[in-house]
Structure formats: structure tokens, C-alpha cells
């Protein structure tokens, strides 16, 4: 007012901020686009089964807010070293709850959404205030949030931290691989840990998929520099209680523990990713560690695939473990962790009592049992009805088990699941009996499915290795891009595989050492230019660095559907609305929109679209959606001729993500023709002969079935 009165006639010129209009985000309309897309073309995240998400919206018991009591107070006030000392001095057994991360990764293909985690957060803060930590981030959750859930993983971390301020947060850091499937430049790993700590992370469980110490050391240094608790992990494989299993014996693990202690870990983790640690082996390992390192806090992680997890955890606790990983009862067992309630009950009244109330475990179990029904499309029990001792044979990690089966479903191999498990064992033997945890477990899984898909056994792989188009992860393993396996690479298989791939490399030592540093400023500038509708942050830049293609897909989703998709009820997110169904959603603070699907129009044969009719808060609204199913009906692809060596077929079902040649290109045997992708498994399709590309039958974005003709190469 004062400026208007005394500003003279130049009021408008001197108050230009009045014309800085805020562009509407149109969240309601963009959500209608998403619901219309699902109504016409089906789920926008691939579903593993035909089961539908339960149309419920469960809640935890009401509490006034989060607790302020917990182990995070010690950590924040006294720092990582004092925190570790307090853990070691604690008399009872401490527990880590994996429900927010590894439990659903193992049982529900990592698909639990932020919305359902937040609804459990306040009660969890109260009930588990005596917990050592809440494992809630890292591992596959980062990738899946962006790729399949249309969510920002950093936003998940920030929101959980706001709602659970008292329990230390724990993440799974893949050493030099951060949260990805390959090695990154050193500065990317350091920056990732810095941002994770800033956004709310406390404890960094650092591991390497091959137990390769140089990769481990990088992750440890990055977490320590960020100010986090370093919990370095030894990944357990084999069976130290079996004298005939000589590769990964007690001496091997104790030497590894010694190196991690010398490198300054605050806490030691024993990470049994497949559930191979038997009770006797647990006692042997813990007793040896206690003898040589009496002051070292030890945290044990196991999966319950064989049904022996509770026994192993109790044995570890009695032998000197300070903390163990468990999951809420209704998300425990089989490929997940042992049941929290079982451990709590077993130790009641003993010197190792956990300080957790069984009655509150029951309340949390009730909530998660209902939540689990909302993720029925990804339910592990569709194929895994109970624990199986065959895990001691195939050694598939619990966190990979359901994702691997889901991948098999997407590749049309679900009916061959028993063969895939056997092929997993065979693939592991071919690769040299390696430690198996992401990303090395992905290498084994990709090779196993490649073998089943193409009808190959171990003998055929060894015989034809120089002519097969192996999955990209397998080639990268042999190139040394994820590190050096204990005992070295198997020969002559390594030489043959690399000979089949033009321009392949042979790295020795730590891969990240030879990678140029990431230019974060340049990436941020480019992302701001490409996505002007979004305020690009340093965490967005890091998401791009970890997963460039996935981040681009996520941003395309945000552009089309807005940032409100994560607010949809879970059943609506996965399955959408049927005609006549409705729901309400709060799309932003103070704004609730009621959606009702009224009808889906007939196909417009001119442009292939359908009009989808909604009511939004009682007002009619329609959107036009391309019917992708109709546009592909009747289309068929030429099949590769198995009798013509130059007729190159797709080695698996999937989509074309890149092409390397055009018609007329001169190629050598082993040159790349195209890159296919299916469920995070990329395969380079190579030329089997020297010649000229006579016909290229694909383009980027095409979906192919196994055997579809990719290209025809004729001798020059």
C-alpha cells in the first residue's frame, strides 16, 4: 500500500514480481491421464501374477506422533565410534527391522510404495524405539522406486526421516557400485553417501558382491567421510561347517574380517544373503570373531529360505552377536528374514531380552498382513509355498529370489522355474563359484535364464561361448567391471566370451580407479535444460548418475502424469479403476479430488485412441488415450531361420533399446547389431558372421519375442 501511494506513476515498473504467475501443475488432470492409461492399456508397472491388489486401505493403531527416544540420540550426540561402543556394551540382543526394505524386496519384488510405509511410520517409531536400526533404503529400492513405482527414492528417505526421528536408519550400500549394478567413478560414490547422510541416513552397511576388498574400502571411506556409521559386511557363501567345502572356509572369512577391521569399520556385518548359515556354522564363525576381536560389535543378517533362520540367529546371539536382522512376522520367513516375534519371544526373560513388546509386534503384523494383500500381483508365495532346503544347492539370494521369478515370468519362463533354479547352480559353476549378491547375483541369474531360454547346458556354453550373444552383465563380469572374484576368473570361458564381443576390455584391479570423475554441474545444467518443468536438485542429479535411462523414464512419467501418482491408493496405482468404481485422493495439502470412471469409449480407427470418461468431484472430464493393444493386433514378425547363420534372431523376449548398425553396414563376427532389454537384463545381439547387413528388421522401442528376426547378415 505504501509503495502504491508514494511510488508515483512507475508502480508497475518497480513491482514486476506481481506478474510472476505460478504455472498450474494440473495434478488432478494429470492423474486422470494416468488412470486413463491404465484403464485402456493395463497396469503401467508389469505385474508378476494375475492376482489383483486388495481394495483396502489399512491403518496402524493411532498414536499421537513419533517417539523421541531411541538409539539415534546416542548416535547424534556422541558420534559413530561411541555409538558402536554402546552397541557392544549393551547387554540384550539388539534387532534391526528389515520390513521397510529387505523383507518386501524378498517377498514382494521390492514393490511396497512410500505411501504404505508412511502409514506405518508413527507406530513403528513408538513400538521399535529400542531397535538398533530400521533398514529402509538402498539395495533394489532405489532402482525400483524410479523404474516401477513412479517415485523419487530420495523423497521416500526424507519423508520417513521426518516421521521416524528416533530410530537409526540403515541402508545397503553396494561398495563401489553404490546402489547400482556397475562400478561408478569414485567421486560419484562419495557424493552419493554425502547426500544420503544429509537426507537422513545413519548406518551404511557396506558390502561388495565379490568380497573384493578394494571395492569395499571405497564404500567404507565414502560412508565414513559422510559422517555415517560404517558397517562393513562379509558376504557369506558355502558352509564353513562342512570340511569338504574348501573355497569359502573359516580361514577365508577370518582373513576378510581382519582386513575390514584394519580398514576401520565401526561395526562388522555378517551378511548371509541366501540363508546358508547353519546354526553350527554361526557358532563357529562368531566364536572365532569373538576370540580375535572381543571389542568388535557384530551384526548378523540372514534369509529364512530353508526355514532355519530363527535357529541360526539364536545360535549367533548366544555365541556373541550384538544385533540380528528380523522382519515383522507377516512379512517374514521363506526368502525374507526370520520373524521378529519368534526372536522376541524366544529371548523373553533371558539375559538377551530384546526390549520389544510382543503385543506391539502383533499390531504391526496385523497392519503388514493387510498391506501384503495389496501387493498380491507380486506375491512370492505364488511359487514358493514354504521354505525349501534346496537353497543349500542353488544358493539363490533371498532378495533376488522373487525378482528372479518375476523376471522369468516376464520372459515367458515361469513354467520352467525348477529348471531355472538348476541352471542357477550350473551358471554359478561356470562362473567359478562366486559370491552371489547384487550385482554378481544378477550375473548368475541372467546367465541361468539365458541358458534356459536358449536350451543350453554347461557343456554347450563352454563349447559355443565364442559365438553366443551373452547378457551384458555376464560380459561385464568377465571384463572385470564389477571387480575381481576370489580365486580368479574361469578360463578358457573368460577368453572365449570376451573374444565374442568386439572392443571388450580386461580390467585388473578396482574398476572405479580408471573411470573419469562425474561432472555434476554439467549434468545438472543439462537436466535443467531438458526438464524445465522441474526444479532439478542435487539428488535428481545423483539419481541420473546412478540410472541415466531409468531416471529419464521417470521424468517422462512425471511430465505425463505429474508428481501425484505416489498419492494414489495402492490398488488404484496397480490396477486402476473399473467402470463404475471411484475413490478419493488428497493430491496436495488441503485439496482432495474424487475420481469416478464412468465409461471407456469405442476405438477411433483413424488415430487408434479411446475416449475415457471420468467424473472429478462430480464434474465431467474426459481424456483421450492411445490403445496400444489394438495397434499391435494382427501384427507379426518374421522369424529367424535357424539354418542360416546370418539370420540373427532375438535371444530372448524384450524390447530394443539401441541399434548399432544400418542396412549396408559392414560387420565382423562379434560386432554389436542391437541391444535388447527385459526386466533389467540387457543383452547385446551380435553378428555371428563377417558380412553386410542386408536387412534390419527392428527399431528402438520395438517389442520382440524370442526368435523374431533382428537382422539378416550376408557374406560380403
Amino acid at each position: 500500500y505504501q509503495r502504491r501511494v508514494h511510488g508515483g506513476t512507475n508502480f508497475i515498473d518497480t513491482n514486476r514480481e506481481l506478474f510472476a504467475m505460478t504455472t498450474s501443475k494440473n495434478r488432478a488432470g494429470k492423474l486422470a491421464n494416468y488412470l486413463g492409461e491404465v484403464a485402456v492399456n493395463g497396469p503401467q508397472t508389469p505385474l508378476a501374477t494375475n492376482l489383483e491388489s486388495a481394495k483396502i486401505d489399512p491403518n496402524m493403531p493411532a498414536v499421537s506422533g513419533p517417539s523421541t527416544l531411541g538409539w539415534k540420540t546416542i548416535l547424534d550426540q556422541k558420534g559413530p565410534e561411541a555409538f558402536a561402543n554402546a552397541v557392544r556394551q549393551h547387554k540384550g540382543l539388539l534387532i534391526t527391522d528389515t520390513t521397510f526394505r529387505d523383507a518386501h524386496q524378498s517377498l514382494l519384488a521390492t514393490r511396497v510404495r512410500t505411501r504404505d510405509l508412511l502409514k506405518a511410520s508413527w507406530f513403528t517409531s513408538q513400538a521399535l524405539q529400542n531397535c538398533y536400526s530400521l533398514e529402509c533404503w538402498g539395495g533394489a529400492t532405489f532402482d525400483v522406486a524410479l523404474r516401477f513405482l513412479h517415485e523419487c527414492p530420495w523423497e521416500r528417505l526424507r519423508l520417513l526421516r521426518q516421521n521416524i526421528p528416533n530410530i537409526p536408519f540403515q541402508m545397503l550400500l553396494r561398495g563401489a557400485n553404490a546402489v547400482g549394478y556397475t562400478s561408478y567413478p569414485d567421486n560419484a560414490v562419495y557424493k552419493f553417501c554425502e547426500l544420503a547422510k544429509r537426507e537422513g541416513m545413519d548406518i551404511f552397511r557396506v558390502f561388495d558382491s565379490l568380497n573384493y576388498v578394494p571395492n569395499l574400502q571405497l564404500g567404507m571411506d565414502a560412508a565414513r567421510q559422510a559422517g555415517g556409521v560404517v558397517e562393513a559386511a562379509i558376504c557369506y557363501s558355502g558352509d564353513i561347517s562342512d570340511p569338504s567345502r574348501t573355497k569359502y572356509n573359516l580361514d577365508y572369512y577370518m582373513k576378510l574380517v581382519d582386513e575390514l577391521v584394519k580398514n576401520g569399520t565401526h561395526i562388522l556385518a555378517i551378511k548371509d544373503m541366501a540363508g546358508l548359515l547353519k546354526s553350527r556354522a554361526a557358532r563357529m564363525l562368531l566364536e572365532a570373531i569373538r576370540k580375535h576381536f572381543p571389542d568388535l560389535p557384530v551384526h548378523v543378517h540372514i534369509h529364512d529360505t530353508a526355514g532355519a533362520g530363527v535357529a541360526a540367529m539364536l545360535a549367533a546371539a548366544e555365541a556373541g552377536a550384538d544385533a540380528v536382522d528380523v522382519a515383522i512376522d507377516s512379512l517374514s520367513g521363506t526368502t525374507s528374514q526370520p520373524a521378529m516375534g519368534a526372536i522376541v519371544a524366544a529371548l523373553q526373560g533371558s539375559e538377551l531380552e530384546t526390549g520389544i513388546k510382543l503385543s506391539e509386534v502383533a499390531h504391526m503384523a496385523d497392519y503388514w498382513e493387510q498391506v501384503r494383500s495389496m501387493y498380491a500381483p507380486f506375491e512370492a508365495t505364488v511359487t514358493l509355498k514354504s521354505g525349501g532346503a534346496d537353497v543349500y544347492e542353488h544358493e539363490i539370494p533371498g532378495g533376488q529370489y522373487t525378482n528372479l521369478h518375476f523376471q522369468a515370468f516376464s520372459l515367458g519362463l515361469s513354467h520352467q522355474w525348477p529348471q531355472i533354479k538348476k541352471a542357477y547352480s550350473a551358471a554359478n559353476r561356470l562362473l567359478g563359484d562366486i559370491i552371489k549378491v547384487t550385482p554378481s547375483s544378477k550375473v548368475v541369474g541372467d546367465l541361468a535364464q539365458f541358458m534356459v531360454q536358449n536350451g543350453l547346458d554347461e557343456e554347450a556354453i563352454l563349447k559355443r561361448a565364442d559365438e553366443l550373444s551373452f547378457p551384458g552383465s555376464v560380459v561385464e563380469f568377465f571384463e572385470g567391471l564389477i571387480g575381481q572374484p576370489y580365486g580368479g576368473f574361469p578360463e578358457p570361458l573368460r577368453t572365449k566370451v570376451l573374444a565374442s564381443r568386439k572392443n571388450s576390455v580386461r580390467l585388473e584391479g578396482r574398476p572405479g580407479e580408471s573411470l573419469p570423475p562425474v561432472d555434476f554441474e554439467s549434468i545438472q545444467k543439462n537436466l535443467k535444460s531438458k526438464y524445465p518443468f522441474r526444479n532439478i536438485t542435487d539428488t535428481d542429479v545423483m539419481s541420473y548418475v546412478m540410472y541415466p535411462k531409468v531416471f529419464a523414464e521417470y521424468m517422462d512419467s512425471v511430465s505425463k502424469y505429474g508428481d501425484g501418482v505416489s498419492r494414489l491408493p495402492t490398488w488404484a496405482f496397480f490396477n486402476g479403476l473399473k467402470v463404475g468404481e471411484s475413490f478419493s485422493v488428497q493430491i496436495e495439502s488441503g485439496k482432495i479430488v474424487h475420481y469416478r470412471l464412468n465409461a471407456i469409449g469405442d476405438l477411433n480407427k483413424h488415430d487408434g485412441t479411446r475416449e475415457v470418461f471420468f467424473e472429478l468431484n462430480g464434474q465431467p472430464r474426459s481424456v483421450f488415450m492411445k490403445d496400444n493393444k489394438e495397434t499391435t493386433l494382427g501384427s507379426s514378425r518374421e522369424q529367424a531361420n535357424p539354418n542360416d547363420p546370418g539370420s540373427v534372431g532375438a535371444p530372448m523376449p524384450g524390447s530394443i533399446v539401441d541399434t548399432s548398425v544400418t542396412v549396408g553396414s559392414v560387420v565382423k563376427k562379434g560386432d554389436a547389431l542391437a541391444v535388447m532389454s527385459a526386466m533389467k537384463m540387457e543383452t547385446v545381439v551380435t553378428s555371428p558372421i563377417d558380412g553386410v547387413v542386408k536387412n534390419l528388421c527392428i527399431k528402438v522401442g520395438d517389442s520382440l519375442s524370442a526368435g523374431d528376426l533382428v537382422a539378416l547378415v550376408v557374406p560380403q
Side-chain angles (χ1 to χ4, degrees):
Y1 171 79
Q2 291 295 322
R3 285 187 294 175
R4 180 178 64 81
V5 172
H6 301 289
T9 58
N10 64 343
F11 172 76
I12 291 178
D13 293 331
T14 58
N15 294 275
R16 303 301 298 176
E17 70 272 11
L18 297 175
F19 295 88
M21 305 299 182
T22 301
T23 303
S24 171
K25 293 186 177 181
N26 189 25
R27 285 191 173 100
K30 289 187 174 182
L31 275 184
N33 288 339
Y34 178 83
L35 294 168
E37 190 73 59
V38 177
V40 172
N41 292 307
Q44 295 305 288
T45 185
L47 306 183
T49 74
N50 294 324
L51 300 177
E52 285 201 4
S53 173
K55 295 177 181 179
I56 57 176
D57 200 12
N59 290 291
M60 280 280 200
V63 294
S64 58
S67 173
T68 57
L69 303 175
W71 280 85
K72 184 161 169 57
T73 301
I74 297 174
L75 176 58
D76 289 346
Q77 292 179 355
K78 298 182 178 181
E81 289 81 8
F83 174 82
N85 289 335
V87 168
R88 184 69 190 105
Q89 296 302 316
H90 185 73
K91 299 302 181 184
L93 179 67
L94 292 167
I95 66 171
T96 288
D97 179 20
T98 67
T99 305
F100 281 43
R101 207 282 300 178
D102 202 10
H104 73 85
Q105 177 171 325
S106 301
L107 294 177
L108 302 172
T110 330
R111 292 308 195 271
V112 172
R113 303 166 68 228
T114 300
R115 182 181 190 272
D116 298 318
L117 297 172
L118 289 174
K119 293 183 71 174
S121 58
W122 279 9
F123 190 87
T124 299
S125 171
Q126 295 275 0
L128 298 184
Q129 62 186 27
N130 291 322
C131 266
Y132 165 85
S133 66
L134 189 70
E135 199 219 21
C136 59
W137 209 62
T141 58
F142 197 95
D143 167 31
V144 170
L146 290 167
R147 189 190 299 263
F148 297 123
L149 302 182
H150 305 277
E151 292 185 355
C152 172
W154 299 98
E155 182 69 7
R156 172 180 295 190
L157 177 57
R158 284 189 286 265
L159 292 171
L160 287 175
R161 182 79 283 172
Q162 291 171 16
N163 282 22
I164 309 176
N166 61 316
I167 304 174
F169 280 2
Q170 179 177 309
M171 74 162 292
L172 193 61
L173 184 75
R174 298 166 179 163
N177 306 123
V179 289
Y181 299 102
T182 188
S183 291
Y184 296 94
D186 291 359
N187 72 326
V189 180
Y190 277 88
K191 187 67 174 179
F192 179 90
C193 290
E194 174 193 325
L195 295 176
K197 181 66 174 67
R198 186 191 74 189
E199 299 300 330
M201 190 47 57
D202 299 300
I203 301 170
F204 294 77
R205 176 176 285 170
V206 185
F207 76 97
D208 179 70
S209 68
L210 298 172
N211 278 343
Y212 182 52
V213 174
N215 280 350
L216 266 166
Q217 182 65 60
L218 177 71
M220 293 170 66
D221 291 345
R224 183 183 298 104
Q225 182 170 303
V229 175
V230 179
E231 186 179 292
I234 59 171
C235 294
Y236 183 83
S237 189
D239 182 3
I240 63 173
S241 65
D242 182 352
S244 68
R245 303 287 296 274
T246 58
K247 184 171 185 178
Y248 302 112
N249 57 21
L250 182 59
D251 183 58
Y252 164 80
Y253 289 112
M254 291 308 297
K255 288 179 180 178
L256 186 56
V257 172
D258 185 59
E259 290 195 67
L260 298 182
V261 171
K262 289 178 180 177
N263 287 330
T265 189
H266 296 125
I267 295 169
L268 176 74
I270 299 170
K271 178 176 170 58
D272 177 14
M273 49 280 175
L276 306 178
L277 187 68
K278 300 171 184 175
S279 296
R280 180 164 172 260
R283 291 190 188 94
M284 290 172 61
L285 185 54
L286 264 297
E287 288 171 358
I289 293 171
R290 278 286 156 257
K291 179 179 178 180
H292 291 89
F293 305 101
D295 299 324
L296 178 66
V298 180
H299 188 176
V300 185
H301 168 89
I302 196 171
H303 289 256
D304 201 22
T305 310
V310 171
M313 290 296 92
L314 293 175
E318 291 167 356
D322 299 284
V324 298
D325 283 3
V326 294
I328 296 297
D329 298 10
S330 49
L331 275 177
S332 70
T334 60
T335 55
S336 179
Q337 279 68 57
M340 181 185 294
I343 297 291
V344 169
L347 296 176
Q348 277 183 330
S350 74
E351 293 182 352
L352 296 175
E353 189 159 4
T354 63
I356 305 298
K357 295 179 180 179
L358 268 179
S359 59
E360 295 189 329
V361 174
H363 284 309
M364 292 185 287
D366 288 343
Y367 171 78
W368 285 108
E369 184 172 8
Q370 294 181 74
V371 168
R372 187 167 178 171
S373 69
M374 300 194 299
Y375 293 89
F378 311 99
E379 178 57 67
T381 56
V382 170
T383 56
L384 187 69
K385 301 299 184 185
S386 64
D390 63 345
V391 69
Y392 298 119
E393 300 294 329
H394 58 66
E395 299 184 351
I396 299 174
Q400 183 187 26
Y401 199 100
T402 52
N403 283 288
L404 186 65
H405 178 259
F406 182 28
Q407 193 178 58
F409 178 89
S410 299
L411 295 173
L413 301 176
S414 59
H415 63 291
Q416 294 180 282
W417 182 239
Q419 293 94 314
I420 290 174
K421 289 191 289 185
K422 291 180 180 178
Y424 195 96
S425 299
N428 179 48
R429 291 191 294 269
L430 284 166
L431 296 168
D433 186 16
I434 61 175
I435 299 291
K436 292 170 288 297
V437 60
T438 307
S440 62
S441 57
K442 182 179 186 300
V443 177
V444 183
D446 287 355
L447 180 56
Q449 299 205 88
F450 176 79
M451 292 169 69
V452 173
Q453 177 70 47
N454 293 283
L456 301 168
D457 58 16
E458 290 176 75
E459 183 180 354
I461 290 286
L462 292 170
K463 183 178 180 180
R464 299 176 53 196
D466 57 351
E467 64 183 58
L468 295 170
S469 294
F470 286 98
S473 64
V474 176
V475 178
E476 290 177 359
F477 165 74
F478 282 120
E479 289 179 320
L481 292 179
I482 64 172
Q484 306 295 307
Y486 177 63
F489 292 98
E491 290 290 2
L493 182 59
R494 183 192 195 192
T495 297
K496 286 186 175 183
V497 170
L498 296 185
S500 71
R501 184 81 167 262
K502 189 177 181 181
N503 299 324
S504 62
V505 298
R506 280 175 178 258
L507 286 180
E508 304 296 336
R510 186 168 64 80
E513 287 179 323
S514 59
L515 297 174
V518 174
D519 186 344
F520 295 108
E521 290 185 4
S522 175
I523 291 175
Q524 185 160 29
K525 182 179 179 180
N526 291 337
L527 292 178
K528 284 182 176 180
S529 175
K530 188 173 182 179
Y531 306 112
F533 58 86
R534 185 180 179 92
N535 177 29
I536 297 295
T537 64
D538 51 4
T539 52
D540 287 330
V541 172
M542 184 54 64
S543 295
Y544 173 85
V545 170
M546 292 291 110
Y547 291 99
K549 293 180 181 178
V550 176
F551 181 76
E553 293 169 358
Y554 165 72
M555 291 304 292
D556 288 343
S557 170
V558 173
S559 176
K560 289 192 294 184
Y561 308 132
D563 57 6
V565 173
S566 62
R567 296 173 181 262
L568 289 173
T570 293
W571 63 268
F573 172 76
F574 287 130
N575 297 114
L577 289 166
K578 295 179 180 178
V579 173
E581 288 185 335
S582 63
F583 68 88
S584 297
V585 59
Q586 181 173 318
I587 61 172
E588 57 187 76
S589 179
K591 186 173 183 179
I592 296 176
V593 178
H594 184 78
Y595 289 85
R596 175 185 170 86
L597 177 60
N598 286 335
I600 302 174
D602 294 334
L603 180 72
N604 184 325
K605 296 183 179 180
H606 296 291
D607 60 10
T609 63
R610 293 181 186 271
E611 188 173 6
V612 185
F613 299 89
F614 291 100
E615 284 182 16
L616 274 62
N617 288 343
Q619 300 298 313
R621 175 80 67 92
S622 66
V623 295
F624 290 88
M625 290 293 148
K626 187 86 170 180
D627 190 328
N628 298 325
K629 300 189 297 295
E630 288 290 342
T631 57
T632 58
L633 285 178
S635 63
S636 60
R637 288 187 172 273
E638 183 179 353
Q639 298 296 291
N641 181 357
N643 298 316
D644 181 353
S647 181
V648 185
M652 64 178 189
S655 58
I656 300 295
V657 296
D658 193 20
T659 57
S660 306
V661 296
T662 59
V663 173
S665 294
V666 178
V667 294
K668 297 287 187 182
K669 179 180 178 180
D671 283 357
L673 302 175
V675 179
M676 292 188 66
S677 178
M679 293 303 300
K680 301 191 286 187
M681 181 171 77
E682 287 196 352
T683 296
V684 177
V685 183
T686 61
S687 176
I689 62 172
D690 296 346
V692 178
V693 178
K694 181 179 180 181
N695 189 12
L696 187 65
C697 305
I698 47 88
K699 63 181 184 300
V700 172
D702 282 358
S703 294
L704 275 65
S705 299
D708 286 352
L709 185 64
V710 173
L712 181 63
V713 180
V714 296
Q716 191 171 14

